[in-house]
Amino acid sequence: MKKTTLMAALMVAIPTMASAGGSKADTDNFTDNWPTHHVFDDGTDVGLALKYQYDVDRFANDDGRLADAQTNRRKELGFYVKKKDVYDATVVYDFQARTWLDTYLRVQSKALLGKDVGAFRIGFSKTPVGFEGNTSTGATTFLEAALPTQAIYANRRIGVDWAWERPHYLVNAGYYTGGDLNGGSDGRMVAARFAWVPHNQPGDVIHLGVSASEESPAGTTDGRDIYMPPTARLRANPEAGLAARLVDSGNLAPTGHIDRAGLEGLWIRGPWSIQGEYLHAAVTLDGARPNYDASGYYAFASWVVTGESRPYSSGNVGNIKPKGPYGALELAIRYSELDLDDSPILGGHERDWTLGANWYINRHLKLQVNYVHVQSDRRGLSVDPNVVEARAQIQF
C-alpha cells in the first residue's frame, strides 16, 4: 500500500462522508458545539481536534549533559467525521514534530454486515502492544511515557486491524505493512492484544491484559541506489520530552525481526488507581551477531484529591472530568525501570522515580507538574539528574 495513495484516499473519503451526513443544520446544536464540531440531524458529527502543549524542563545534577529548555511539545490539528455505531474517520498532524498521527477509517461491522463482530479499521494507527503506548498523549497521568514504553512500544503503522469490545473483555489484532506515513518503519508486523475486565463500572475497574507482536523490518534503498539494511533501535529519555537520551542500544543491524510482548494491569476504585505494565523486546540479528533482549516495567499510583475517578473505556483511560467549579486535582507517584544491557550491547540501565500533580481546570484545560529523580548507568558512566518539568495543555 502506497503511503501517498492512502493519504489521498482518506483526504477524499472523509469530506465525502461528512457531506453525506445531511444538509440541514440544527442552529441550536451548532451554537452548543461551536467552535470545534457540528452534529447533523442524522447524527453525523463533523469537527476539528486540537491539542496544544507547552513544556518547561529544568535539570540539576546532570554533569552538564542536559540543557534546560522550554518550548512547544505538541501542536496537533486534526479533522474527524463520525456516526455512532456506523463509522469514524480522522486525519491528525503534529505541526511541532512535523509528523502524521492517526489517519484512518474505521467501520462498525453491524452497520456493514448486519451483525456485530467488532470494528474494522484501515489506515495509519497505533499498534496494539502495550497499555500506556495506546493512551492518548493528552490523557497521560505523567508528562512523558515511562521508560519501557518509550523504548519498546512500536507506535503507529500502516495497516488493517480488528477490535472486538465487550463489557468484560477486549480483543484487538492487526496486520501492518508499508511502514508509516512519515517515511520510516518499512516492513511487516502482526500484533494482538487481549484484555479481561472483570470489573467495568465508573469508578470500579479491574483491567488485566496481554499483548504480543512480531515485526520483520525491511531495508531501504536511497536515491543513490545504496541499500541500507533493516535496523532496530531502543532508547529512552529520562521521562522529560525536551531532554537528551541517557540510555540507548544504538543501531542494531542487520535486524531480522523484532518480537515484542507485554503484560498490563489497571485498578480503579473511586479516586484511587494503580496502573502498571511489563514490556519485553527480543531483536533477532542476521549474520553472526548474537540476538538482543531488552525489558522494563513501570508501576504508578494516583489519588484524585477532589474525589473524581479516572475514566475508563475501550481498554484505556482518559482525562478526569472535573465535577466542581475549581477543577479536579490529582497526585501520583511512579517507578519505572529499563534494562538495555545485553552483552555485548551495552545500551544502559535506568531507574526513575516520578512525583506528579495534575490540575484539570475543565474538560479542555490541564496543568501538570512532575519531579523526576533519575539513576542511569551506561558503559560504566553514571548520570543521576533531577528533573522539574511543567506543562500547560489545551485540548478540544
Side-chain angles (χ1 to χ4, degrees):
M1 183 185 298
K2 296 291 186 180
K3 301 178 180 67
T4 53
T5 302
L6 172 67
M7 282 301 304
L10 286 171
M11 285 294 195
V12 171
I14 291 175
T16 301
M17 288 186 292
S19 64
S23 59
K24 181 180 180 296
D26 184 328
T27 304
D28 292 337
N29 191 41
F30 184 85
T31 303
D32 290 343
N33 291 306
W34 176 262
T36 58
H37 73 134
H38 173 61
V39 182
F40 290 89
D41 290 340
D42 70 344
T44 301
D45 186 354
V46 181
L48 296 174
L50 168 71
K51 184 191 300 174
Y52 174 75
Q53 297 173 341
Y54 189 88
D55 284 12
V56 176
D57 288 4
R58 295 293 181 264
F59 306 96
N61 194 41
D62 60 341
D63 297 334
R65 295 177 176 273
L66 304 175
D68 292 348
Q70 56 278 325
T71 189
N72 304 310
R73 182 67 175 90
R74 292 180 176 90
K75 295 189 294 186
E76 299 176 14
L77 179 64
F79 173 81
Y80 70 85
V81 55
K82 60 185 177 181
K83 188 172 184 180
K84 187 177 180 181
D85 299 326
V86 181
Y87 66 82
D88 65 290
T90 188
V91 175
V92 185
Y93 188 78
D94 183 352
F95 288 87
Q96 179 65 21
R98 298 180 182 178
T99 300
W100 287 103
L101 302 176
D102 290 334
T103 302
Y104 60 75
L105 167 65
R106 176 167 49 198
V107 179
Q108 300 297 321
S109 60
K110 189 172 184 179
L112 185 67
L113 307 173
K115 182 180 179 181
D116 184 7
V117 292
F120 301 96
R121 178 168 58 181
I122 182 170
F124 183 49
S125 59
K126 290 185 174 182
T127 56
V129 177
F131 187 99
E132 189 180 44
N134 278 280
T135 304
S136 167
T137 54
T140 55
T141 300
F142 299 89
L143 268 73
E144 298 298 334
L147 296 169
T149 304
Q150 293 183 49
I152 297 173
Y153 177 60
N155 215 312
R156 294 173 176 85
R157 296 288 192 276
I158 297 171
V160 295
D161 74 358
W162 164 76
W164 194 22
E165 182 183 351
R166 290 296 182 267
H168 297 296
Y169 65 87
L170 172 73
V171 183
N172 188 194
Y175 175 79
Y176 308 91
T177 184
D180 61 43
L181 287 180
N182 303 301
S185 304
D186 289 339
R188 176 194 61 84
M189 177 191 289
V190 291
R193 179 185 182 213
F194 172 78
W196 176 48
V197 193
H199 289 210
N200 189 2
Q201 297 293 330
D204 183 14
V205 175
I206 295 177
H207 166 113
L208 300 170
V210 296
S211 57
S213 69
E214 192 275 334
E215 181 177 12
S216 298
T220 59
T221 301
D222 65 18
R224 298 169 296 174
D225 203 32
I226 298 176
Y227 176 75
M228 302 296 292
T231 64
R233 188 173 187 177
L234 282 64
R235 52 186 178 169
N237 62 50
E239 296 176 348
L242 307 181
R245 298 174 177 91
L246 299 178
V247 291
D248 187 342
S249 70
N251 288 325
L252 306 172
T255 297
H257 60 267
I258 308 165
D259 296 318
R260 297 177 177 89
L263 298 172
E264 62 193 55
L266 171 70
W267 171 83
I268 299 174
R269 189 62 180 269
W272 302 93
S273 73
I274 298 174
Q275 178 180 319
E277 63 182 303
Y278 169 84
L279 292 169
H280 177 268
V283 182
T284 301
L285 300 174
D286 292 337
R289 299 191 66 187
N291 296 337
Y292 173 74
D293 285 342
S295 62
Y297 69 94
Y298 74 84
F300 76 75
S302 82
W303 172 43
V304 185
V305 180
T306 46
E308 294 88 347
S309 298
R310 296 175 71 200
Y312 171 90
S313 66
S314 302
N316 222 299
V317 293
N319 276 322
I320 294 166
K321 297 180 181 178
K323 295 180 179 179
Y326 302 106
L329 175 64
E330 179 184 28
L331 304 178
I333 183 171
R334 177 174 69 186
Y335 177 78
S336 64
E337 186 166 343
L338 175 65
D339 188 358
L340 297 183
D341 282 339
D342 188 20
S343 183
I345 297 169
L346 302 178
H349 189 183
E350 184 171 333
R351 299 157 299 280
D352 290 358
W353 280 98
T354 304
L355 298 175
N358 303 318
W359 181 22
Y360 302 86
I361 300 171
N362 55 40
R363 291 178 57 193
H364 306 296
L365 300 175
K366 178 181 176 182
L367 298 180
Q368 296 180 272
V369 178
N370 284 181
Y371 167 79
V372 189
H373 176 65
V374 181
Q375 293 178 293
S376 71
D377 300 285
R378 187 183 182 201
R379 298 176 181 175
L381 177 65
S382 296
V383 182
D384 303 331
N386 297 315
V387 185
V388 176
E389 52 188 340
R391 170 176 296 164
Q393 171 180 296
I394 181 171
Q395 179 173 278
F396 288 92

